Amino acid sequence: MSGRVREQGRVRPHAPSMHDASPAPGQQVLGFERTDLVYPNGTHALDAVDLTVRAGEFVSVVGPSGCGKSTLLRIASGLESASGGYAQVGANRIGYVFQDATLLPWRSVRDNVALLAELDGVPKAERLRRADDAIALVGLRGFEKHLPHMLSGGMRMRVSVARSLTLDPELFLFDEPFGALDEITRQHLNDETTRLFADRRFAGLFVTHSVSEAVYLSTRVVVMSGRPGRIVQDIEVPFDFPREPSLRYTAEFTTLAAKVSEALREAHA
Ligand SMILES: Nc1ncnc2c1ncn2[C@@H]1O[C@H](COP(=O)(O)OP(=O)(O)OP(=O)(O)O)[C@@H](O)[C@H]1O
Ligand SMILES: [Mg+2]
């Protein structure tokens, strides 16, 4: 079953009912309302965060180091529970890509990509079919039998993205996935990510420290304050999909990136 509604924190009296279909375009997949998170050691990570992500939206989150961006993703994925306010996830299939590819070194590319489907109990023929589709989507055809140490950093991240793609995620969480890569490889992976999004139209929540990456990929960019993180700006990105690499050199793009940078500078102040 897909589309299970999971709620955390204070639950509303009139919560949306359970439903079987994938979220329709525009349907809310993730909702934070005055969401607070205080870790058991007393660290106040998030303060009254209001954020909605709908199917077909790709939302990037930028903010100072330690402001609670990863914490936000951990709540969205169910790894952490909100300590106050309200957090609702209307997705059953959640992809999560971390900064490190976190591949199993003894498994081939194909077997790494098939891992989540395997843990989900998907029969072998079906999970290998899904793995091969995902490998093709991220441009790794021909590398199925390679072990992780035989791949570049960019290829390892592609494997990590493909692994989540086998779940056909309704909600796709990314925590600085391309931060360790050189600028050109990062741009290539951004091009692939935006193509994937244009094709699949999942709900995306993408944490990054790169303003241009945030603007290039997203339908919205939210800017967080320093810890405890609050959302201080929510900026629409009006460019159509699919996006072309040349978009980065347009005046409209540069103007919007400058607006996000300015908000980020204020958030650091
Ligand atoms: N398990 C934990 N227990 C206690 N404090 C934590 C825990 N995880 C994170 N924190 C603290 O919560 C705050 C927010 O951490 P978080 O990892 O969400 O920040 P971030 O915005 O992702 O930072 P960065 O940009 O450096 O990745 C930080 O002060 C961090 O030290
Ligand atoms: Mg982080």
Side-chain angles (χ1 to χ4, degrees):
M1 188 196 73
S2 66
R4 176 170 47 89
V5 175
R6 178 164 51 74
E7 310 209 5
Q8 301 176 349
R10 183 170 50 78
V11 175
R12 276 183 168 167
H14 300 295
S17 58
M18 308 255 284
H19 51 89
D20 287 320
S22 289
Q27 187 174 325
Q28 179 179 309
V29 173
L30 187 59
F32 294 99
E33 248 180 65
R34 301 196 59 76
T35 304
D36 269 301
L37 192 291
V38 181
Y39 281 108
N41 69 354
T43 302
H44 192 180
L46 296 175
D47 179 32
V49 167
D50 283 319
L51 178 67
T52 298
V53 184
R54 299 177 184 282
E57 282 190 316
F58 195 108
V59 177
S60 281
V61 182
V62 296
S65 184
C67 75
K69 302 179 297 297
S70 297
T71 302
L72 204 62
L73 294 189
R74 290 172 64 79
I75 296 175
S77 70
L79 286 173
E80 206 73 63
S81 288
S83 32
Y86 175 75
Q88 185 189 71
V89 184
N92 220 15
R93 302 188 304 274
I94 301 178
Y96 204 156
V97 176
F98 302 92
Q99 183 161 14
D100 299 319
T102 59
L103 305 179
L104 298 177
W106 59 89
R107 280 192 163 215
S108 67
V109 164
R110 199 177 192 216
D111 288 342
N112 264 291
V113 173
L115 178 70
L116 295 181
E118 184 178 332
L119 294 174
D120 239 12
V122 176
K124 187 169 183 187
E126 168 62 12
R127 67 178 184 253
L128 291 180
R129 188 191 64 72
R130 288 193 203 174
D132 287 343
D133 281 355
I135 286 167
L137 269 171
V138 300
L140 280 180
R141 215 176 245 159
F143 294 92
E144 290 86 347
K145 297 200 169 112
H146 281 52
L147 291 170
H149 79 269
M150 301 157 83
L151 305 175
S152 69
M155 292 161 90
R156 280 198 285 273
M157 285 318 298
R158 287 188 173 97
V159 175
S160 175
V161 171
R163 185 176 52 192
S164 278
L165 278 174
T166 61
L167 301 179
D168 191 19
E170 297 154 333
L171 174 63
F172 214 143
L173 308 170
F174 300 87
D175 199 351
E176 295 188 56
F178 311 137
L181 304 175
D182 69 86
E183 185 61 21
I184 299 302
T185 306
R186 184 177 194 150
Q187 287 186 5
H188 281 311
L189 282 161
N190 287 170
D191 292 337
E192 286 170 16
T193 305
T194 191
R195 269 200 297 274
L196 273 179
F197 172 69
D199 183 46
R200 298 291 177 97
R201 289 293 179 149
F202 43 77
L205 190 59
F206 189 100
V207 170
T208 177
H209 283 287
S210 161
V211 169
S212 62
E213 179 173 73
V215 174
Y216 186 67
L217 292 176
S218 308
T219 57
R220 272 162 56 217
V221 178
V222 299
V223 181
M224 290 179 73
S225 69
R227 188 171 69 79
R230 284 174 299 109
I231 290 181
V232 290
Q233 285 224 35
D234 193 327
I235 299 169
E236 287 284 331
V237 181
F239 310 123
D240 291 336
F241 290 88
R243 292 187 178 167
E244 298 299 326
S246 57
L247 173 66
R248 297 185 180 94
Y249 310 115
T250 63
E252 292 80 3
F253 184 92
T254 311
T255 303
L256 203 51
K259 184 174 174 183
V260 175
S261 291
E262 188 53 38
L264 203 47
R265 254 195 303 278
E266 280 172 24
H268 269 89

